[in-house]
Amino acid sequence: MQTIGHYIDGQRVAGTGARTKDVFNPNTGAVQAKVSMATPAELDAAVKSAEAAQIKWAATNPQRRSRILFDYKALVEANMDALAAMLSSEHGKVLADSRGDVIRGVDVIEFACGVPHGQKGEHTYGAGPQIDVYSMRKPLGVVGCITPFNFPAMIPMWMFGMAIATGNACILKPSEKDPSVPMRLAELFVEAGGPPGLLQCINGDKEIVDAICDHPIIQAVSFVGSSDIAQYVYARATANGKRSQCMGGAKNHGIIMPDANMDQAVKDILGAAYGSAGERCMALPVVVPVGEGTAERFLEKMLPAIEAMKVGVSEDPDADYGPVVSEVHRDSIADNVTKAVKEGATLLVDGRDFKLQGYEDGFFIGPSLLDNVTADMETYHDEIFGPVLQIVRADNFEDALKLPSAHQYGNGVAIFTQNGRVAREFADRVEVGMVGINVPIPVPVAYHSFGGWKRSAFGDANQYGMEGLRFYTKVKTVTQRWPAPEEQSSDSAFVIPTF
Ligand code: NAD
């Protein structure tokens, strides 16, 4: 069986660490590879050669760096089908969704090609007598990027696309559950003409995450994953003086106002709740029908829509969603459904015992729908991260607004309404970082930026867009004066200069 090592200095290398972990095919439940867990010594060697590569890269003029990123974008697109198949076989999402995962990452590479424009800095001519002031955005050096299992193409590209475009080297530490796509993305960078050593892919788990947070050469840590670990990584990296942005978990709400176009809202919520088996940080696992009769009208259309949904293997073009990532995760989703019932929720659709014929060992779970969920239930408070939709009924707009605002997570939220004034007020007042108005998954496009509030993000810089550019650069400001000989001052100034 293949053991996946690391991608260092432009080559796939075997790991030297004693520990490996299993990589499953969630469709069959079979172990299809092993992945090596890097040691701190392997990380140290990779960081040192990344440091050398970064010095040359930072000295390469910006348009030459961009040309490599243009070629990289084209090469990733040319490899789209192979990447999507690889992604589905380790993650379990359906092929069309895997393509979307790659495409949303490529969008950031496309934005990153224009980074020279954003990195130009500022200039003031004549800020004082013969004095000009200019600033520049310098790269940080070597940065660490730690990513989750659920978007193994998009999230690495969010991070290394912006890090490399701004002149940094990147140590990418992907999820040990689906490492093959990040490894291939690193390899394609070198095939596109990127310097070996600039993008190193190191596989591992907590041991190597800790080593990244502690490494003295690594200047910044970008992390996406669950909230407790995001908070831990943020604390550890910042305690070591590193810049850090750590995105965490989510529990996004879809508010249905009484005037919503119900056919459209049901279609949108169905895809957002159950797509990718609910394993998206921007999924909509909570729906809030507002006012009398709205929940009944929603259920009238939602129940048959769930009935018509198809759960299947990733390669099945008719499947709406595939298996979840692991057996442990499938059991945790089922346990949460059981717990919700114990807490008093009404189970309208029960997906716990679903088996896919011919794939009985695969990590499949059917869709569940829970009604009469209330804000005091633990299963409402917690992220389930599976194909489970919870209905929390609200009497009016104010009560509905309070739910996402008071929730521990504040990643995304959506409102379905035909009333622009209500939508506008909701967007203004809700305590959540990304808002959709009749848009169920409001992941901002690459030239805006991505980031939640509260326990969905630690640190104050969003991912990608201009926020990403700022995260991966530091400002240097130069104040210069070129006086003519007759303008040289003859006295020392003992007070701070004022102009
Ligand atoms: P995870 O937190 O288990 O793992 C994320 C990364 O942390 C992985 O690289 C993993 O190897 C590492 N890690 C795991 N345990 C660790 C530990 N004890 N100490 C240090 N590092 C550790 O998350 P996951 O299960 O891979 O991904 C799903 C989670 O990510 C969900 O909570 C989801 O909401 C969240 N997510 C958030 C966003 C966002 O932008 N807010 C996007 C995607 C996913």
Side-chain angles (χ1 to χ4, degrees), residues 88-109:
S88 286
S89 80
E90 289 183 355
H91 176 286
K93 62 177 81 171
V94 295
L95 277 173
D97 206 27
S98 290
R99 290 173 68 88
D101 192 329
V102 180
I103 291 166
R104 288 303 295 255
V106 169
D107 286 352
V108 173
I109 302 296

Side-chain angles (χ1 to χ4, degrees), residues 21 37 145-151 154-155 158 173-178 204-210 213 223-230 232-233 246-251 278-282 325 329 383 385 409 411 434 450-452 455-457 463:
K21 286 199 173 173
M37 301 290 102
C145 297
I146 302 159
T147 56
F149 82 85
N150 69 325
F151 280 99
M154 177 182 84
I155 295 178
W158 281 2
K173 206 301 285 172
S175 167
E176 60 276 41
K177 296 190 179 103
D178 46 11
D205 54 9
K206 175 175 166 46
E207 186 184 2
I208 217 67
V209 171
D210 287 351
C213 293
F223 173 96
V224 175
S226 51
S227 288
D228 287 350
I229 298 171
Y232 164 79
V233 169
C246 296
M247 276 56 195
K251 190 91 184 220
E279 292 174 318
R280 290 182 185 137
C281 69
M282 289 296 275
V325 74
H329 189 46
E383 181 182 40
F385 218 53
Y409 296 119
N411 216 36
M434 291 172 281
F450 183 105
R455 284 186 56 75
S456 293
Q463 297 281 347

Side-chain angles (χ1 to χ4, degrees), residues 62 114-124 133-138 466 469-470 473-478:
V115 153
H117 175 66
Q119 211 174 345
K120 279 185 310 208
E122 295 171 331
H123 194 122
T124 301
V133 179
Y134 66 92
S135 63
M136 45 188 143
R137 290 201 159 266
K138 306 287 276 183
M466 292 305 283
L469 189 148
R470 287 184 202 106
T473 55
K474 53 189 174 188
V475 176
K476 181 180 279 185
T477 307
V478 178

Side-chain angles (χ1 to χ4, degrees), residues 300-321:
E300 198 184 316
K301 293 180 192 297
M302 191 55 152
L303 285 167
I306 294 175
E307 186 76 17
M309 222 163 36
K310 182 173 179 196
V311 182
V313 289
S314 313
E315 302 79 37
D316 179 351
D318 297 326
D320 294 304
Y321 73 82

Side-chain angles (χ1 to χ4, degrees), residues 39 60 121 140 157 213 411:
T39 62
T60 305
L140 305 179
M157 283 192 271
C213 293
N411 216 36

